[in-house]
Amino acid sequence: MTAVSRAFILLAFGITLGALHARTNAADRALPLARARDARDVTPSLAVAKLLESHDQAEQLMLLDELEPGPEAAHAARTLATLLRAGQPDVVTDHALDALARLRSRDAHEVLVTFTRHRRPDARRRAYAALAALKEPSDSSLFEQGLRDSAPEVRAVAAHTLGELHASAMTPSLLRALGHGVNEAAPALGQVGDANSLDEFDAFLGRLPLPVMLAGYANYLQRTDLSEQAKLRIVAALENVSGPAVKEFLNELRQKPCNACSPKLQRAFDSAQSRMRSQPGGTRP
Amino acid sequence: MKGRLGAAGVAQLGSRCLWPGAAVLLLMAACAGNRPDATTPVIVAGSVCSGLVALSAPGPASQPSAASANALAYVRTTPRPELVVYDLTRGRERFRVPAALASRPELLADLVVTTDPHGQLIAFDASSGARRFSVKLARPHWLGAVRVGPNLVFSTTSLSFRPGERGSTVSAVDARSGALRWERSVPYALSRPSARGNRVYVASDHADVWELDANSGDAVGCARQNSGPIDWIQLGSRSILVGAAEQARELTTPAHALGLPITQLPGRPALLASQYDAAPAQRSALGRVALLAELAATTAGPELVAARYFFVFYRELFAFGADGQLLWARLLDSDVVRAQTLAGSGLLVLSEDGSLLQLNAASGALRTLARLAGPIDSADLAASALAPLPAGTEAAPPLRRSLAEIALDTDARLLPGRRLAVAALGALPDPEATEDLLQLYAQAGVPEALRARVAEVLAQRRAGREFLVDALLADYDFLDDRSPPPLAAIVPGLVALHETRALPRLVERLFDPDTRLSELPIVVTAIATLGGPSALPALAEFLAMYHADSSLAAAPDALSAAARALWASSVPAHRALVASVARDPATLDDARAELTALLNPETTNSAPLAQAEPETPKPEAALPITLSDEAIARTFVEHADDLRGCVLSELASNPALRAVRLAFVINGNGSLSGLQVLPDHAELVACLKPKLLAAHFPAFGRARRLANYTIAVHPDARSFERPNDNAAGENFWHFAQLRAAGVGRTGKPWWRNRNPLFVSVESEPAPSPSASQAKQPTGESTGTAPAGRAAAPADAWWLPARGGRASPPAPAAPPPTAASSAEPPAAAASTPPPTAASPAARPSETQTPSDAPARPAAADAGQSAPPDAWWAPAPSNPGPK
């Protein structure tokens, strides 16, 4: 047998093995997919019932991912609460919490509060995100507690949600969080802080990264409940910092439609922008 | 000169005079001329002084001069360098003179003595500040001075690595003119002098005490102790106290030693300051870390005056009873520069900011005597006539408050002192001490080592239970910089006290994400113990919620503990839960295995359920953070016999072996890995490796630490004696040179017994051409000595490089050995002397050429170092590689 023949036989053998392996993998993947198709075929309440009975993790995940808000959301939420309290592997817990966030059912509130104290930071973050989806202003104190969490990702969600909830009573906590490096508190403060909070917010200018501060200022400037005088102070403070980033920021504000921007404020944007250097170290026009 | 001639000395004298030929005749003539009489000191046991010359009892102390009786001399360098003398009696400054100084000033009768950076001794009049004289120092490093009548006696030393330069000198100058009265030099270390009456005492080489006549410098007595090193001498009216480290003993009755429990004190202060240490004029730790103990000699040995001693650690002051019990503590505003005990009644303290404070010895009550202009760099106090501070002059703060103040102090330098205060707080019965400790634990920025120590101390406390319960309320808070409570420290105490009020808070901690994993099993066990059936629902919820969660994968013990408690309850619902968790394939593997064992005790051969008490795992806080060198050494001691066997086997094939160096990694669980052995001979490694891998070190908190250990291999020097050819009238400084010539017998070094892995090499006596002429002596019982042994090796460290006062007799050629035959004697003689040994650490063991194979100089230098000395050089050649 020549070397070429031997090589050909080896190649053919290898191709056969590869094909067999590919078929096996395909079969493995086909099983959960088939189960998923089965899951899609059932009604939501049946899917939830199957969820509790199933011991197949892939099937559980598929069923969880299929859950959407609807008339049976409350029932599904209660079922998921039962599932979560029974204790699940990480991935199932995470998918269940995400499903609860989609369902937005008040029936899951209690279990979600419980999971804001879960040992796994990722589970806590998802629980806070699910609670945020409920948009309950009464949960502000819960999110304020989230600002005190040991995990940065949890603090970030809590800060963001406090802004979304317009929890102005939590402004002091958000300012403290910003001082402790929770950057997400800056845009939240822009959403909830009043004119008095601006002085304390301005104090972070130069200490925190400029993009963080600009995210907060952007929200302050777009507020209709903030006085024009306070907004002019913001422009003045930004002009003191100056630089291309600020210039671009003001330019974007100028170009965007802004209901909260008075003509005087628009002119302040223009004049501040015109006085700023376009490049670092460049001369002022 | 006092002394007597030993029988061995007489016999050796005879052997000395057996030299052949004309040399013998000449030497015999010399011997006849120098025949020692009954008062001649005899050199035995390798020491220049072997106790054969008795020291005379110290006489009465001379009265302190009025000029220095109550004075304070201090040095400032800011804003300009100056020397200031303050009169304590009058409460005013006596004088100040501009001076850049090198050493701490000393108040000596009517003089203030110090040195300058140019190597000069400068003496000022203690009353007026007039400069009396200046004298060039014999050696660069000043040790200190004493005043003896009209003379000023001081010692200087050279720390040079060059043998010709190193050594020490005792000098006496006239205290009025500075004229040199006498001067004695030795090529090794001497202490600073002490004086009593007309006698001066110096310790030589940490081993001998010499008594000199203050007028002539002649040696009038000597003594040697074999019971330990001598770092200081303190003279009483009828006794001489000596000591080192934490021990003091009477020179003639060393068995009655006084040992203070001070080894755990920060900075490891000695009972008295070493007289081999120079005190600089500049700011230094000397004085700032110091033990102040007044000693008195009794028939039972040394005793503490007033049964108390004091410890200074920068800004912290502690007073202890003789048994080590803490009496009081104070935190000062600035560092202590110098402190002095006041005849058992108190302390006089000068701090860096210029505060002169007097403290009551019994209560720690404090009074400020003066506020001098600071900052003060160094000072000397002479407060012999200061009235003690009456008790109750000023209320002293309670000990607990003082300790809390020290423990909470944030001075980063004082961490060891804070640890000491924490331990003392933990020992107090006051319940509030628990609160102080908890407050310290919660303090932001507390170093982790200190926090761990607080947790250890708290775990031992039983007082202040209400504070322990309240501490459970404090949870982690990112915004408030609050740490979770030290549950491992708090909970055991609460369980021991059966404090059921803690139960709800313990349940909160069980579901607190910031409760440390290592503490969860403790919390679970405590809930089960304190709560009984009422606590089971919480445990059931915990088990169900976390049985499959990866957050507990690293510590499934908490799940197991909860399951055991639930199973033991016999409540069907709880048992069903445990059973279902055990069956659940998603349950964490380790936890499932434990639960399976719990449910099927017969099949898994585990303990019956009824006896399955939840175990309290050892909290991490109980472990040391890392492993100390002492702990490593202890483990080696436990395996000393095994390891010694390996080294001896290696010695059989490698006679030149002088050290086995081991480098390795100790893992947190106490196992050893990554072993490197030098020499890396396969047989040696194969012998050592399994023994060391089987050794188990104590567990510690960190993941691992690097460590190394050296097994020293020392030739066992053979004893020999030399005849005493010492001429009458020759003094102690000659003996060093005689010893260099090999005159004397080496004794066992004091440090030998401190290294448990010391491997002694019994060198075979090499066949010597002169053996047929003179039989080799082996000890004192042998009255003869070979001529060849009279010589020291040409590269012996103690030989002066140049300018030796008395040349030793010409050495006979060492007997040829396998090693020495490779290098001719002439070449060996020209080998440059080793440079590794310091004069302050001269070994007591002398090796003669015929005791061991001739080796190059570096190897000899290595041999002269103690096996555990850091400066011991590695055997460079012949290397074991």
Side-chain angles (χ1 to χ4, degrees):
Chain A
M1 190 181 289
T2 64
V4 175
S5 305
R6 279 201 298 271
F8 180 76
I9 289 169
L10 280 173
L11 183 64
F13 184 66
I15 290 170
T16 310
L17 273 181
L20 282 172
H21 183 65
R23 280 189 64 184
T24 311
N25 283 351
D28 288 347
R29 282 198 301 270
L31 184 61
L33 286 173
R35 284 172 180 163
R37 275 197 299 275
D38 291 346
R40 270 199 294 273
D41 291 342
V42 298
T43 61
S45 53
L46 198 60
V48 167
K50 277 187 84 172
L51 189 63
L52 286 178
E53 292 164 6
S54 174
H55 290 293
D56 185 335
Q57 196 176 94
E59 186 180 33
Q60 279 183 319
L61 296 182
M62 285 295 180
L63 290 165
L64 285 169
D65 292 347
E66 289 296 319
L67 288 174
E68 291 296 337
E72 295 179 345
H75 171 65
R78 285 194 295 274
T79 308
L80 290 186
T82 308
L83 183 82
L84 285 170
R85 288 191 191 285
Q88 303 297 329
D90 298 0
V91 64
V92 177
T93 303
D94 293 348
H95 280 247
L97 290 169
D98 290 346
L100 285 175
R102 288 196 305 278
L103 292 174
R104 294 194 197 98
S105 170
R106 180 76 194 166
D107 292 75
H109 188 270
E110 192 182 334
V111 75
L112 288 176
V113 171
T114 303
F115 270 69
T116 59
R117 305 281 287 165
H118 195 273
R119 290 197 69 81
R120 218 157 29 80
D122 204 33
R124 295 204 296 278
R125 179 184 63 79
R126 288 168 196 268
Y128 272 114
L131 282 168
L134 296 178
K135 294 184 178 166
E136 293 275 356
S138 58
D139 284 343
S140 297
S141 57
L142 193 66
F143 287 106
E144 199 268 349
Q145 196 60 37
L147 288 179
R148 300 168 185 278
D149 196 284
S150 55
E153 61 266 38
V154 176
R155 296 194 294 265
V157 170
H160 175 77
T161 309
L162 284 173
E164 293 293 314
L165 292 175
H166 297 288
S168 54
M170 299 304 164
T171 303
S173 295
L174 284 168
L175 282 166
R176 287 184 68 197
L178 187 61
H180 279 70
V182 182
N183 292 343
E184 290 76 7
L189 278 166
Q191 289 171 286
V192 304
D194 57 10
N196 293 331
S197 72
L198 255 177
D199 287 338
E200 289 180 72
F201 187 76
D202 287 343
F204 293 110
L205 203 57
R207 287 166 50 196
L208 293 178
L210 193 55
V212 172
M213 295 302 292
L214 292 179
Y217 283 129
N219 285 346
Y220 271 116
L221 290 170
Q222 286 170 358
R223 296 253 301 277
T224 53
D225 60 335
L226 204 66
S227 68
E228 185 182 61
Q229 193 181 358
K231 291 179 182 176
L232 289 171
R233 268 174 47 205
I234 292 175
V235 176
L238 288 174
E239 193 181 349
N240 277 339
V241 178
S242 192
V246 176
K247 190 170 184 176
E248 191 182 336
F249 170 74
L250 291 176
N251 190 38
E252 280 179 16
L253 282 179
R254 183 74 184 80
Q255 289 174 0
K256 273 198 289 190
C258 178
N259 294 334
C261 301
S262 65
K264 190 176 179 184
L265 186 63
Q266 298 277 12
R267 282 196 299 277
F269 286 163
D270 288 342
S271 54
Q273 207 179 342
S274 65
R275 285 191 293 267
M276 286 181 196
R277 296 186 182 99
S278 55
Q279 295 295 325
T283 54
R284 290 189 181 215
Chain B
M1 182 178 290
K2 295 179 180 178
R4 69 174 190 270
L5 177 65
V10 176
Q12 287 178 345
L13 180 68
S15 69
R16 171 72 181 269
C17 297
L18 286 175
W19 283 45
V24 172
L25 292 173
L26 285 170
L27 279 170
M28 286 182 70
C31 292
N34 294 330
R35 188 175 183 83
D37 58 21
T39 60
T40 304
V42 178
I43 304 164
V44 176
S47 168
V48 292
C49 171
S50 300
L52 296 178
V53 182
L55 292 177
S56 58
S62 53
Q63 290 299 314
S65 160
S68 65
N70 253 345
L72 154 67
Y74 62 91
V75 174
R76 297 176 64 207
T77 52
T78 308
R80 59 185 175 278
E82 58 186 4
L83 168 70
V84 185
V85 171
Y86 182 85
D87 195 313
L88 293 171
T89 310
R90 296 178 183 173
R92 62 179 173 81
E93 194 174 293
R94 206 180 278 170
F95 67 83
R96 66 174 58 208
V97 289
L101 303 178
S103 66
R104 188 166 68 192
E106 296 180 54
L107 286 158
L108 300 170
D110 59 339
L111 289 181
V112 182
V113 174
T114 181
T115 63
D116 69 5
H118 308 295
Q120 288 195 111
L121 161 68
I122 309 173
F124 296 94
D125 187 287
S127 301
S128 65
R131 188 161 168 157
R132 284 257 189 99
F133 60 84
S134 60
V135 177
K136 184 74 180 168
L137 297 176
R139 294 180 185 271
H141 296 282
W142 165 265
L143 289 177
V146 286
R147 184 71 186 270
V148 190
N151 292 337
L152 185 69
V153 182
F154 57 92
S155 55
T156 53
T157 190
S158 306
L159 300 176
S160 172
F161 285 104
R162 297 179 184 172
E165 293 178 5
R166 68 174 171 239
S168 307
T169 298
V170 186
S171 310
V173 296
D174 184 279
R176 293 195 171 278
S177 64
L180 182 67
R181 291 286 180 86
W182 50 264
E183 191 167 88
R184 309 289 180 245
S185 292
V186 292
Y188 48 82
L190 288 179
S191 71
R192 62 177 294 166
S194 304
R196 188 113 184 160
N198 194 33
R199 295 285 187 260
V200 176
Y201 298 81
V202 289
S204 77
D205 243 2
H206 302 266
D208 307 331
V209 176
W210 282 93
E211 181 184 358
L212 310 180
D213 181 274
N215 293 323
S216 65
D218 287 343
V220 292
C222 68
R224 179 177 207 205
Q225 273 207 337
N226 290 318
S227 54
I230 296 173
D231 280 354
W232 51 262
I233 302 169
Q234 181 173 303
L235 304 168
S237 56
R238 285 192 300 275
S239 64
I240 299 172
L241 299 182
V242 295
E246 74 278 8
Q247 288 222 328
R249 55 194 184 276
E250 215 282 319
L251 192 65
T252 54
T253 53
H256 303 294
L258 167 72
L260 292 183
I262 56 175
T263 53
Q264 300 301 317
L265 291 181
R268 295 292 298 269
L271 199 154
L272 292 182
S274 170
Q275 290 180 329
Y276 290 89
D277 289 339
Q282 293 77 24
R283 195 173 185 279
S284 79
L286 280 170
R288 288 170 172 79
V289 179
L291 199 85
L292 299 158
E294 280 186 90
L295 300 179
T298 65
T299 51
E303 271 191 3
L304 268 179
V305 173
R308 65 170 70 95
Y309 59 94
F310 308 95
F311 174 56
V312 174
F313 191 70
Y314 296 96
R315 292 167 50 217
E316 299 165 354
L317 277 172
F318 299 90
F320 295 94
D323 56 355
Q325 187 187 358
L326 184 64
L327 303 176
W328 53 261
R330 296 299 297 249
L331 180 67
L332 305 182
D333 292 333
S334 70
D335 289 359
V336 173
V337 175
R338 193 90 162 127
Q340 182 199 333
T341 54
L342 298 170
S345 64
L347 269 183
L348 185 64
V349 172
L350 178 65
S351 61
E352 193 172 353
D353 63 357
S355 300
L356 185 64
L357 312 168
Q358 189 176 0
L359 290 101
N360 183 283
S363 66
L366 179 149
R367 185 170 66 185
T368 303
L369 297 182
R371 292 206 181 274
L372 312 174
I376 292 173
D377 287 357
S378 62
D380 189 27
L381 291 166
S384 56
L386 202 66
L389 188 69
T393 305
E394 183 185 327
L399 178 57
R400 183 189 69 80
R401 202 197 309 161
S402 300
L403 289 173
E405 191 184 5
I406 292 172
L408 290 165
D409 186 59
T410 53
D411 191 335
R413 300 170 308 155
L414 306 185
L415 183 61
R418 295 172 71 186
R419 286 174 61 92
L420 178 65
V422 164
L425 266 177
L428 290 180
D430 314 29
E432 290 80 10
T434 303
E435 185 185 20
D436 294 330
L437 289 167
L438 288 166
Q439 189 185 346
L440 176 60
Y441 188 92
Q443 190 186 46
V446 171
E448 273 310 308
L450 185 64
R451 190 168 278 163
R453 180 72 183 132
V454 173
E456 284 173 28
V457 169
L458 275 172
Q460 306 299 321
R461 278 191 71 79
R462 296 294 177 265
R465 66 169 75 182
E466 59 275 17
F467 297 108
L468 292 175
V469 174
D470 288 346
L472 290 175
L473 280 177
D475 52 1
Y476 173 87
D477 195 310
F478 174 75
L479 294 186
D480 291 342
D481 290 328
R482 211 162 54 213
S483 301
L487 296 175
I490 296 173
V491 174
L494 291 172
V495 173
L497 296 167
H498 203 73
E499 185 53 76
T500 52
R501 285 181 298 167
L503 190 60
R505 293 164 191 182
L506 284 171
V507 172
E508 276 181 41
R509 298 281 76 82
L510 180 64
F511 290 99
D512 184 347
D514 295 302
T515 297
R516 297 175 188 88
L517 264 184
S518 59
E519 293 175 334
L520 268 181
I522 300 169
V523 174
V524 169
T525 307
I527 290 171
T529 308
L530 294 178
S534 65
L536 294 177
L539 295 179
E541 187 184 348
F542 175 77
L543 178 64
M545 194 165 168
Y546 286 107
H547 74 273
D549 197 277
S550 66
S551 59
L552 287 186
D557 296 351
L559 292 173
S560 311
R564 283 199 186 94
L566 292 169
W567 189 259
S569 72
S570 302
V571 177
H574 293 154
R575 286 193 150 218
L577 172 66
V578 175
S580 70
V581 167
R583 284 195 304 272
D584 187 349
T587 301
L588 298 171
D589 289 343
D590 291 345
R592 193 170 59 240
E594 290 231 12
L595 295 189
T596 306
L598 184 70
L599 297 176
N600 308 299
E602 300 82 10
T603 55
T604 55
N605 201 22
S606 63
L609 183 62
Q611 299 171 5
E613 290 297 321
E615 290 177 8
T616 305
K618 192 176 182 182
E620 277 180 8
L623 292 176
I625 291 173
T626 187
L627 202 58
S628 65
D629 290 341
E630 289 78 14
I632 295 171
R634 275 198 299 275
T635 307
F636 271 91
V637 169
E638 290 166 10
H639 297 81
D641 292 338
D642 285 353
L643 302 179
R644 191 180 289 113
C646 295
V647 178
L648 287 173
S649 302
E650 174 68 11
L651 265 174
S653 59
N654 181 12
L657 182 71
R658 289 297 170 264
V660 176
R661 296 173 200 276
L662 309 169
F664 46 89
V665 174
I666 306 175
N667 300 310
N669 61 5
S671 63
L672 182 144
S673 59
L675 177 67
Q676 303 274 332
V677 181
L678 195 70
D680 55 353
H681 293 167
E683 297 80 12
L684 178 62
V685 176
C687 180
L688 285 174
K689 195 165 187 178
K691 292 181 167 61
L692 286 171
L693 290 180
H696 202 80
F697 293 84
F700 53 97
R702 286 193 180 151
R704 64 190 71 82
R705 71 153 283 186
L706 291 171
N708 54 59
Y709 193 88
T710 301
I711 303 173
V713 182
H714 272 254
D716 193 13
R718 300 166 70 87
S719 303
F720 73 99
E721 291 181 355
R722 286 291 305 150
N724 177 24
D725 58 351
N726 179 41
E730 281 191 326
N731 290 310
F732 78 99
W733 56 92
H734 295 164
F735 302 154
Q737 289 159 347
L738 292 174
R739 180 170 51 171
V743 181
R745 179 178 63 81
T746 55
K748 287 192 176 180
W750 57 266
W751 39 261
R752 179 169 171 165
N753 292 334
R754 296 193 176 187
N755 188 346
L757 271 171
F758 180 92
V759 176
S760 177
V761 184
E762 292 291 344
S763 302
E764 289 299 324
S768 166
S770 61
S772 57
Q773 298 171 19
K775 192 177 176 182
Q776 302 274 352
T778 56
E780 288 185 8
S781 59
T782 308
T784 59
R789 294 205 172 202
D795 54 355
W797 66 269
W798 61 87
L799 278 183
R802 58 182 181 274
R805 183 182 288 199
S807 299
T817 62
S820 64
S821 61
E823 189 177 7
S830 64
T831 306
T835 59
S838 81
R842 180 176 59 84
S844 312
E845 192 167 14
T846 306
Q847 186 177 358
T848 61
S850 58
D851 284 337
R855 288 181 288 112
D860 280 335
Q863 182 188 346
S864 63
D868 50 357
W870 63 269
W871 44 263
S876 56
N877 190 24
K881 274 272 187 190

